[in-house]
Amino acid sequence: MRIGFGYDVHRLVEGHSLILGGKKIPYEQGLAGHSDADVLLHAVADALLGAAALGDLGAHFPDTDAEWEGADSQVLLRQVTQKIHDAGYIPHNVDGTVLLERPKLRPHVDEMRANIATALSCSRDQVSVKATTTEGVGFVGREEGVAVQAVCTIQPAQRERS
């Protein structure tokens, strides 16, 4: 079993969509970034890459590459999952915590978990998504951005025996 940790943050801005866990969430602001800025999927991807010692998301999908401009982060997470598989591992468990003041994410958590599970080719009960505020403290508390912390475990893939 291997453990990985991921962290990401994006600024909240006008004129962008708020996409978290592959779910577009109605809100007056969205996240700025080179891709769709899905901070939750980015943190999960970084946790997986870290667990497999494969670097970070920026090494695989640099923000200087026009190919990834506006990219759907679910596509990126599926590609990361393939890299994990190619390295001989499968995702075992993912736990993400979204830090934001508004909007409330409770109504969207089940869909976010399902989207992540689909991208990871695992069951929804292997994926946890939680949300919390920072009680008005820091850039999250001032509603300037959203941060996510994610941890995951991966395990060696079962090899078929001949």
Side-chain angles (χ1 to χ4, degrees):
M1 188 77 60
R2 296 177 78 156
I3 299 169
F5 173 78
Y7 174 81
D8 198 21
V9 60
H10 284 272
R11 288 180 299 113
L12 280 165
V13 296
E14 299 288 331
H16 287 256
S17 296
L18 179 60
I19 301 172
L20 294 168
K23 165 88 170 127
K24 187 173 181 177
I25 298 171
Y27 193 58
E28 63 264 14
Q29 292 182 304
L31 296 171
H34 186 68
S35 67
D36 64 6
D38 189 330
V39 67
L40 175 55
L41 296 189
H42 294 178
V44 168
D46 261 346
L48 291 164
L49 290 166
L54 295 175
D56 63 23
L57 196 61
H60 294 275
F61 310 100
D63 64 6
T64 56
D65 189 338
E67 178 181 358
W68 308 117
E69 188 170 352
D72 180 338
S73 293
Q74 290 181 93
V75 171
L76 302 181
L77 185 55
R78 283 193 295 273
Q79 289 190 25
V80 165
T81 301
Q82 185 59 55
K83 291 175 187 298
I84 300 302
H85 286 216
D86 293 347
Y89 297 97
I90 58 171
H92 177 260
N93 180 277
V94 172
D95 182 22
T97 302
V98 182
L99 294 92
L100 80 169
E101 296 298 312
R102 296 180 302 130
K104 296 294 183 194
L105 296 185
R106 177 84 233 95
H108 309 287
V109 165
D110 288 339
E111 189 172 343
M112 290 187 278
R113 289 178 61 209
N115 290 342
I116 294 168
T118 297
L120 300 181
S121 299
C122 68
S123 69
R124 195 171 61 130
D125 67 354
Q126 292 173 276
V127 177
S128 173
V129 173
K130 306 176 303 295
T132 189
T133 70
T134 60
E135 302 295 330
V137 176
F139 74 92
V140 170
R142 290 187 303 271
E143 299 185 36
E144 296 170 4
V146 176
V148 174
Q149 298 177 353
V151 64
C152 75
T153 56
I154 60 174
Q155 62 189 23
Q158 295 293 336
R159 304 273 190 232
E160 288 189 33
R161 297 187 180 148
S162 312

